[in-house]
């Protein structure tokens, strides 16, 4: 799916607000979807996804894993 930077920022803001509200024991609604404390894992996954999409759109790369190798 193709996103604009503004759309991603707006969605990221909404999901961050959802995480704050749900973490405080309240529910939060995005569109027709009501989120509760049981949805914290999904909220965090969505925030990570949106951040990754925003990085990709900005041309930034994410974390890089480097594996060391011992020479013998």
């Amino acid at each position: 799916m193709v996103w604009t930077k503004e759309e991603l920022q707006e969605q990221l803001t909404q999901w961050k607000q959802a995480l704050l509200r749900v973490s405080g024991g309240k529910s939060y609604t995005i569109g027709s979807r009501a989120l509760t404390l049981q949805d914290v894992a999904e909220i965090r996954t969505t925030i990570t996804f949106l951040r990754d999409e925003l990085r990709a759109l900005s041309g930034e790369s994410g974390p890089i894993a480097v594996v060391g190798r011992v020479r013998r």
Side-chain angles (χ1 to χ4, degrees):
M1 182 171 273
V2 178
W3 306 95
T4 66
K5 186 176 181 179
E6 293 78 19
E7 289 172 331
L8 288 171
Q9 277 302 139
E10 182 181 330
Q11 288 185 34
L12 190 56
T13 299
Q14 287 181 351
W15 283 95
K16 284 182 178 180
Q17 288 174 355
L19 182 60
L20 289 173
R21 295 272 309 219
V22 168
S23 296
K26 300 179 180 179
S27 65
Y28 188 80
T29 303
I30 297 178
S32 63
R33 176 104 192 264
L35 301 165
T36 62
L37 189 57
Q38 290 81 13
D39 298 310
V40 169
E42 182 181 348
I43 294 169
R44 288 183 177 155
T45 300
T46 303
I47 289 172
T48 300
F49 169 77
L50 292 170
R51 283 183 184 156
D52 290 346
E53 289 290 305
L54 193 55
R55 282 188 188 123
L57 187 64
S58 300
E60 299 175 23
S61 63
I64 299 172
V66 178
V67 179
R69 182 175 158 201
V70 178
R71 292 186 167 223
R72 299 179 188 224

